[in-house]
Amino acid sequence: MYKFEKSFYSKTSMYSFVVVLLLFFSMWYSTSKFVHIDMALLGYAISSAVFAIGLTIRVSFWMWRKATNRVAKRSVDNLFNKERLKRNSKALIKTLIDNIILQKFIFQRGIYRGIQHFMISWGCIISFAITFGLTFGWMRFDLIDPETYQIIVFDMPTITMAAHGLFAEIVYNGLNIGAIMVLIGAGMALYRRITDYDVKVTQRFEFDILPLIILLSVTVTGLILTIMYTFLDGWMHHYMSLIHQVTVIIMLMYFPFGKLFHVPIRPLATAVPMSYQEVVKVDTKSCKSCGQPYSNDDQIADVQAILKSQNFDLQLADGTYLSDYCTGCRRRMRALKQMNLEAPQGNPYGPVSTNNGIHISGFSKKRSEEFYGLDQDSKEEKIDEPVSR
């Protein structure tokens, strides 16, 4: 294995070679040794292979980041931990349904944004699944008799369907359905980015507008192709097919290195709740100052390891780390340090008493109202209050 790795300039180039090799053998197997390969899709196959290389390079660099690498190792260790099997399964299923299928996280930011993101996301997933399935020959339709088709997946016969049935129409128009979903979502997103002044302040053309234009160009040319061969007897079909192919190639080249890269890595986010979920009295981290649980043991350990690897260990004089304390205590420690107060004076939950007599609030802690004498004042007010008769 070491000699094989040394025959490449880098691990990334080795991974890219292996990915292309796997794609080639998957085509060879799925198409019965290239007997059923569709030569009309050869251009898409070559551009898809280049897309796979770009995606491999991008994912490799992303995984070599210290934070990502640490989280990935933690997730792999937890995934195969038998003691965590039940809670891992529950976390993965819940995250898969909420964040991937229903995408609740984006609906929480508004119905409009939720619909636009849902349309783009699922439209892309449907379109990519069908496009790559047909391009690499992983899926094809064999005619059994004049009225029946059979779906072949990885050269294995699966279900049959009536050639003119409802299911067949949905399957045939799967790409059009995905394109319409992307068209609606990308149109909504582009309209929002053009008309919403709050969004225009922070957006960048190359990062926010360009991917929408690329998606719209692919979907519009693809839908025009359908209109041409369905209603116009194939008029100008060849030229439009060439234009559509160019737009698809541009999108595949842009995809791994632009904003759309978050689409393939988003499912990996399901590992984060799995690794860092808090179970009370099992792995809940307690603050070293107030003793209140505030995080997960694994999460704090990973934070400290990542900061240390980047020379930001933030270790304190007593050997503890700043991340060993909850948010409220960290704020309090920071304020005390800035005021040259080594330790809190008086009630630890009360306001900070400074040397100049200025009082600061309790930093997310329970306030000690007696510090202000509010109870005494309220009692005196009640005593002095005239009794109404």
Side-chain angles (χ1 to χ4, degrees), residues 15-39:
Y15 296 150
S16 302
F17 174 77
V18 171
V19 167
V20 173
L21 207 60
L22 290 175
L23 285 176
F24 180 81
F25 277 108
S26 71
M27 287 183 68
W28 175 80
Y29 177 79
S30 302
T31 57
S32 300
K33 302 178 183 178
F34 299 117
V35 171
H36 298 285
I37 192 170
D38 189 348
M39 295 303 293

Side-chain angles (χ1 to χ4, degrees), residues 44 73 176 281 332 339 356:
Y44 292 108
K73 286 182 178 178
N176 292 326
K281 297 181 179 178
R332 182 183 181 85
M339 292 181 291
N356 57 9

Side-chain angles (χ1 to χ4, degrees), residues 67 128 207 346:
F128 277 125
F207 191 74

Side-chain angles (χ1 to χ4, degrees), residues 40-205:
L41 300 176
L42 190 59
Y44 292 108
I46 295 173
S47 58
S48 298
V50 177
F51 161 77
I53 293 173
L55 197 61
T56 304
I57 294 172
R58 187 75 171 83
V59 170
S60 297
F61 280 100
W62 183 70
M63 290 295 291
W64 282 334
R65 293 178 179 175
K66 295 182 184 300
T68 313
N69 189 265
R70 179 79 184 187
V71 173
K73 286 182 178 178
R74 172 75 66 185
S75 301
V76 171
D77 292 341
N78 286 339
L79 188 63
F80 296 103
N81 188 338
K82 294 181 179 179
E83 296 178 356
R84 297 171 59 104
L85 181 62
K86 185 177 179 180
R87 51 189 291 199
N88 285 350
S89 303
K90 184 179 178 181
L92 286 174
I93 293 172
K94 186 176 187 304
T95 310
L96 177 68
I97 294 174
D98 289 350
N99 289 358
I100 306 300
I101 297 177
L102 301 178
Q103 302 183 8
K104 289 183 178 179
F105 67 98
I106 198 72
F107 277 97
Q108 291 173 354
R109 304 174 192 175
I111 297 295
Y112 187 91
R113 293 186 64 183
I115 293 173
Q116 78 175 35
H117 191 275
F118 187 88
M119 287 291 182
I120 295 175
S121 174
W122 276 106
C124 285
I125 291 173
I126 293 172
S127 301
F128 277 125
I130 296 174
T131 300
F132 291 142
L134 296 175
T135 299
F136 292 120
W138 297 336
M139 176 180 66
R140 68 175 187 270
F141 304 97
D142 282 357
L143 185 64
I144 298 178
D145 57 58
E147 296 296 330
T148 308
Y149 272 108
Q150 186 169 45
I151 301 178
I152 309 296
V153 180
F154 288 101
D155 207 31
M156 290 183 289
T158 59
I159 60 174
T160 58
M161 59 184 183
H164 303 288
L166 176 62
F167 180 70
E169 291 297 329
I170 295 175
V171 173
Y172 298 154
N173 292 288
L175 274 176
N176 292 326
I177 294 171
I180 291 172
M181 293 178 69
V182 174
L183 181 66
I184 294 172
M188 292 173 66
L190 190 62
Y191 176 79
R192 174 173 169 268
R193 294 202 170 275
I194 292 174
T195 58
D196 192 327
Y197 289 100
D198 294 336
V199 176
K200 290 170 72 174
V201 171
T202 56
Q203 72 184 8
R204 290 182 295 158
F205 175 83

Side-chain angles (χ1 to χ4, degrees), residues 95-373:
T95 310
L96 177 68
I97 294 174
D98 289 350
N99 289 358
I100 306 300
I101 297 177
L102 301 178
Q103 302 183 8
K104 289 183 178 179
F105 67 98
I106 198 72
F107 277 97
Q108 291 173 354
R109 304 174 192 175
I111 297 295
Y112 187 91
R113 293 186 64 183
I115 293 173
Q116 78 175 35
H117 191 275
F118 187 88
M119 287 291 182
I120 295 175
S121 174
W122 276 106
C124 285
I125 291 173
I126 293 172
S127 301
F128 277 125
I130 296 174
T131 300
F132 291 142
L134 296 175
T135 299
F136 292 120
W138 297 336
M139 176 180 66
R140 68 175 187 270
F141 304 97
D142 282 357
L143 185 64
I144 298 178
D145 57 58
E147 296 296 330
T148 308
Y149 272 108
Q150 186 169 45
I151 301 178
I152 309 296
V153 180
F154 288 101
D155 207 31
M156 290 183 289
T158 59
I159 60 174
T160 58
M161 59 184 183
H164 303 288
L166 176 62
F167 180 70
E169 291 297 329
I170 295 175
V171 173
Y172 298 154
N173 292 288
L175 274 176
N176 292 326
I177 294 171
I180 291 172
M181 293 178 69
V182 174
L183 181 66
I184 294 172
M188 292 173 66
L190 190 62
Y191 176 79
R192 174 173 169 268
R193 294 202 170 275
I194 292 174
T195 58
D196 192 327
Y197 289 100
D198 294 336
V199 176
K200 290 170 72 174
V201 171
T202 56
Q203 72 184 8
R204 290 182 295 158
F205 175 83
E206 70 277 9
F207 191 74
D208 297 307
I209 304 297
L210 183 61
L212 294 175
I213 294 175
I214 292 175
L215 286 176
L216 286 172
S217 62
V218 173
T219 54
V220 169
T221 54
L223 290 172
I224 290 176
L225 267 180
T226 303
I227 294 172
M228 283 182 166
Y229 70 71
T230 305
F231 302 105
L232 303 177
D233 297 328
W235 178 73
M236 298 286 285
H237 185 273
H238 175 73
Y239 300 102
M240 184 52 67
S241 175
L242 188 61
I243 295 172
H244 177 65
Q245 192 164 340
V246 170
T247 60
V248 171
I249 292 173
I250 291 174
M251 186 195 67
L252 291 177
M253 298 301 104
Y254 168 83
F255 194 101
F257 307 104
K259 188 174 184 176
L260 298 177
F261 176 67
H262 76 279
V263 176
I265 64 171
R266 183 65 190 175
L268 300 179
T270 55
V272 175
M274 179 193 73
S275 297
Y276 299 137
Q277 58 184 319
E278 296 178 23
V279 178
V280 180
K281 297 181 179 178
V282 176
D283 55 2
T284 303
K285 183 77 173 179
S286 299
C287 175
K288 286 188 177 298
S289 177
C290 64
Q292 295 295 318
Y294 70 102
S295 187
N296 174 282
D297 284 335
D298 292 343
Q299 186 172 9
I300 297 303
D302 287 347
V303 167
Q304 292 175 352
I306 293 167
L307 291 175
K308 188 175 184 179
S309 64
Q310 297 176 334
N311 297 324
F312 289 107
D313 58 355
L314 304 178
Q315 190 172 18
L316 304 178
D318 60 355
T320 61
Y321 293 88
L322 199 60
S323 52
D324 287 324
Y325 301 88
C326 68
T327 307
C329 287
R330 265 180 270 168
R331 291 174 181 166
R332 182 183 181 85
M333 292 164 63
R334 191 176 298 114
L336 291 171
K337 189 70 176 177
Q338 291 170 351
M339 292 181 291
N340 293 323
L341 295 172
E342 296 299 328
Q345 299 177 359
N347 186 351
Y349 296 110
V352 176
S353 300
T354 64
N355 293 331
N356 57 9
I358 298 175
H359 302 151
I360 301 177
S361 61
F363 300 101
S364 305
K365 296 299 181 184
K366 182 181 178 182
R367 294 185 64 180
S368 180
E369 300 296 346
E370 62 269 20
F371 180 88
Y372 298 102

